[in-house]
Amino acid sequence: MGKIGKIIGPPGTGTTSYLMRQISLDTDRYFLPEILAISYTNAAVSEIKARISQSDTDKFTPKTLHSACFSLLKLKTEQVAESPKNIRLWNESHPHLLLSDSKIAGAHATLEDGENLQRTHEAAFSAMNILRNRMTPKNEWPDHVLSLWREWEEWKESENLVDFTGMLEQCIEQRLTPPGIRVLYADEQQDMSALGIAVIKLWATKVEKAVLIGDPNQSIYRFAGAVPESFINLKADFTTSLKQSYRVPKAVLEYSRIIINKASVKDQSEYLPANGIQGLVIPQIDYPDLGLPGTHMLICRCRYQADRWGKQFLRDNVLFHNPYRPGGGWNPTAISDFVALKAYLDLIAGKDIRIDDANKMINLIVAKNVFPRGAKTEFKKNYQEQKTVDMFDFAALGASDSWLEGRMDLNDIFLFKTKNKEIFLSWAKTNKGIFSERPRVIIGTIHSVKGGEADHVWIDSGISPLIAQEVTKSQDSRDDEIRLAYVAATRARQTVGILRSRDFANPFLKG
């Protein structure tokens, strides 16, 4: 067994850059295929991949912990218990224990929006995975959770399935380790559960060097079984703390220290603010100052709050997005209605449009009002090899003159599908320029933007009634909200603004 190193990486200190520098140094002694980098989230893995040179992509493949275990167990996709198909199979055979695949995602399940699980057995399922990830002995489990676990395990065995948590458990039980690996780097360790860290420690016994990187103060996945103590108490041969933040300005750093110092469990590592920027913390405002030059991020504790801000921004003609969560309702520019309208406006302005956008537009067009019979079918059959199309292509398909000239009422052209259609239509009539703008604001929950950053960060200070109640009952819940507030504030490169709450307010954001 080689040495184990522990690296503390406070906000903005460049843990990914540090990891890549160390890997570069290791290539003097090891071949790239002998080095394995593991992270907790797909977003972190994508960031590492983005920094790998094109010539090395086939030699060095960073992975999430679960994907690495998936490969070691030689599983097939259809064997994942939490897939929508398999959840439907479970529901068919267990109608008394119906599970929603929107709530159930194994080790990746989240309660980030603070919503309570609607059914007792869904809460029990969540509790089961938390207890498994914490490696809590079965004799300490509540009876109803233990009963569900027995049924779940029996069903998985009968169907030859493995759930996400089981991937980690089986790697430990079978003592499976990645073959041919001599150096192991594990990032985002504060987000690993006790079970995840146990897997990493097992793999560390088979390598010459293992380096574990994380920040306990940014541990915000208790609902998945992760607690900051797991990383704080981790025994290592050497420990190093990265000292220089390249993101967090002085005022924001001081504000975030006030927040994290309220936690009962925390790491005391000091670090320096970004050079040359004082920064600013603005308390108790009603609306973000989007006139400030630079990038903006609006962060909420709960999903329903983010959705509420999204609706407000659309009414205010402000485009937003969430590059960390491409799906869902946080990326209106990816909604088919928006894409179709933009494509049509570009066409009648004489621009070429991408074939993918043209297909989305075609799918929403009321064919009988625009094209002769069979034109849509002809387009999908004969134009797909082109990268772009223009108005002449549609003229060749026999599109009506009024459509080609932009004289038709948009309601007669398109059959829109989303609730935002009236806003999009009003933009098309009075604010066409917005379709060419880049989104000005990132919107998301704290969990969804973790790892992200912006010049100006606006934090909705509200928390749900359920969370407010839990904070008064439990020190763990109190500490969780403190760390979430800390993570939210430290996304900022210049400004943090605290938005007044329409709900219960997070008391730790007051500074």
Side-chain angles (χ1 to χ4, degrees):
M1 177 177 175
K3 290 187 176 181
I4 294 180
K6 183 163 72 171
I7 309 299
I8 310 295
T13 53
T15 54
T16 303
S17 296
Y18 172 86
L19 186 153
M20 297 307 295
R21 286 197 301 272
Q22 296 306 306
I23 290 174
S24 178
L25 292 172
D26 284 338
T27 55
D28 291 339
R29 183 177 176 185
Y30 305 99
F31 294 110
L32 269 177
E34 297 176 320
I35 303 172
L36 175 62
I38 292 291
S39 198
Y40 179 68
T41 61
N42 287 315
V45 169
S46 297
E47 185 178 357
I48 296 170
K49 286 181 177 179
R51 304 194 189 192
I52 301 171
S53 66
Q54 192 67 34
S55 60
D56 290 334
T57 53
D58 60 336
K59 304 173 188 174
F60 175 68
T61 306
K63 297 180 177 181
T64 64
L65 181 63
H66 288 87
S67 67
C69 290
F70 180 92
S71 298
L72 281 175
L73 292 165
K74 298 179 180 179
L75 295 172
K76 298 178 181 178
T77 304
E78 56 266 27
Q79 289 180 273
V80 178
E82 293 95 341
S83 72
K85 177 183 176 182
N86 287 327
I87 290 297
R88 286 194 294 272
L89 288 176
W90 163 270
N91 288 340
E92 289 170 3
S93 58
H94 298 78
H96 60 298
L97 294 171
L98 295 178
L99 298 175
S100 166
D101 57 15
S102 66
K103 298 275 188 184
I104 305 305
H108 303 292
T110 74
L111 292 179
E112 65 184 50
D113 58 0
E115 292 180 359
N116 196 8
L117 291 172
Q118 294 180 348
R119 294 186 283 265
T120 302
H121 49 271
E122 286 188 329
F125 190 96
S126 178
M128 176 188 74
N129 276 321
I130 290 173
L131 291 167
R132 291 167 68 193
N133 273 282
R134 291 179 181 171
M135 304 182 77
T136 303
K138 300 291 190 305
N139 60 8
E140 297 179 17
W141 289 24
D143 289 342
H144 71 289
V145 176
L146 196 59
S147 176
L148 173 63
W149 172 76
R150 290 193 183 102
E151 288 204 52
W152 179 251
E153 290 297 309
E154 182 181 337
W155 173 74
K156 286 192 300 175
E157 185 176 354
S158 68
E159 299 290 341
N160 190 30
L161 303 175
V162 181
D163 62 11
F164 288 116
T165 306
M167 294 176 194
L168 278 58
E169 291 170 334
Q170 288 193 22
C171 280
I172 292 176
E173 291 165 5
Q174 299 177 36
R175 308 294 292 177
L176 296 177
T177 57
I181 299 301
R182 299 171 67 189
V183 179
L184 173 65
Y185 287 94
D187 196 9
E188 296 189 316
Q189 285 301 284
Q190 77 280 350
D191 296 328
M192 294 283 187
S193 65
L195 179 62
I197 289 181
V199 174
I200 295 295
K201 289 171 73 174
L202 168 64
W203 294 355
T205 64
K206 301 296 184 179
V207 299
E208 296 175 19
K209 181 176 72 171
V211 179
L212 282 62
I213 307 168
D215 178 9
N217 294 341
Q218 297 187 72
S219 177
I220 59 172
Y221 288 94
R222 184 182 297 275
F223 55 76
V227 293
E229 293 92 335
S230 295
F231 191 57
I232 290 174
N233 299 330
L234 181 70
K235 303 297 182 185
D237 296 299
F238 64 91
T239 299
T240 300
S241 179
L242 304 182
K243 299 296 185 183
Q244 179 65 61
S245 179
Y246 302 97
R247 176 204 307 151
V248 184
K250 183 178 179 181
V252 175
L253 188 150
E254 291 173 350
Y255 173 65
S256 66
R257 276 181 180 155
I258 293 171
I259 294 173
I260 199 62
N261 282 338
K262 296 175 182 177
S264 63
V265 177
K266 54 186 172 291
D267 177 73
Q268 300 285 2
S269 300
E270 297 285 336
Y271 68 103
L272 299 173
N275 294 326
I277 303 175
Q278 174 63 31
L280 179 65
V281 177
I282 308 172
Q284 297 301 303
I285 55 176
D286 293 314
Y287 196 89
D289 184 358
L290 302 181
L292 293 174
T295 56
H296 294 260
M297 178 183 288
L298 191 143
I299 307 178
C300 302
R301 174 62 177 92
C302 302
R303 172 66 190 251
Y304 73 86
Q305 296 164 318
D307 290 341
R308 189 164 60 194
W309 276 105
K311 292 176 183 176
Q312 182 63 55
F313 280 159
L314 289 179
R315 288 193 295 268
D316 295 342
N317 299 333
V318 175
L319 278 184
F320 59 88
H321 68 141
N322 187 321
Y324 316 106
R325 296 286 176 89
W330 289 337
N331 294 278
T333 59
I335 294 173
S336 56
D337 290 5
F338 183 95
V339 174
L341 272 172
K342 182 180 187 307
Y344 179 57
L345 293 173
D346 284 344
L347 275 175
I348 61 178
K351 299 178 182 178
D352 295 353
I353 61 173
R354 297 185 311 121
I355 190 66
D356 289 345
D357 295 342
N359 283 326
K360 291 178 181 179
M361 179 187 72
I362 281 283
N363 288 337
L364 291 180
I365 285 178
V366 181
K368 65 180 182 179
N369 295 344
V370 176
F371 297 114
R373 187 178 182 84
K376 288 178 72 171
T377 302
E378 182 183 346
F379 179 82
K380 292 182 178 181
K381 180 179 179 181
N382 298 326
Y383 286 79
Q384 300 306 303
E385 298 300 319
Q386 298 181 201
K387 291 183 179 180
T388 62
V389 291
D390 59 23
M391 193 59 85
F392 296 105
D393 292 309
F394 289 100
L397 287 168
S400 68
D401 289 344
S402 58
W403 185 84
L404 293 169
E405 295 167 6
R407 292 187 283 107
M408 284 185 68
D409 188 295
L410 293 172
N411 281 305
D412 293 333
I413 297 174
F414 295 107
L415 184 63
F416 291 118
K417 298 180 178 181
T418 68
K419 56 189 174 184
N420 295 316
K421 71 172 188 177
E422 295 302 328
I423 291 175
F424 293 160
L425 284 170
S426 69
W427 288 350
K429 293 175 182 176
T430 63
N431 190 18
K432 290 184 176 65
I434 199 168
F435 287 92
S436 300
E437 292 180 6
R438 298 186 63 179
R440 297 169 55 192
V441 186
I442 294 172
I443 287 184
T445 61
I446 300 169
H447 291 92
S448 75
V449 300
K450 186 174 183 290
E453 59 184 47
D455 295 320
H456 313 290
V457 171
W458 312 98
I459 307 173
D460 187 322
S461 60
I463 54 178
S464 73
L466 173 64
I467 295 172
Q469 186 179 33
E470 290 298 318
V471 166
T472 63
K473 292 180 179 179
S474 161
Q475 183 63 54
D476 284 347
S477 295
R478 176 185 169 89
D479 281 358
D480 288 346
E481 296 311 310
I482 290 170
R483 282 190 290 273
L484 283 162
Y486 176 79
V487 168
T490 53
R491 301 308 92 203
R493 290 190 291 257
Q494 295 180 27
T495 308
V496 167
I498 308 302
L499 299 164
R500 287 190 182 90
S501 170
R502 306 184 195 180
D503 310 289
F504 294 87
N506 183 331
F508 312 115
L509 282 168
K510 295 178 181 178

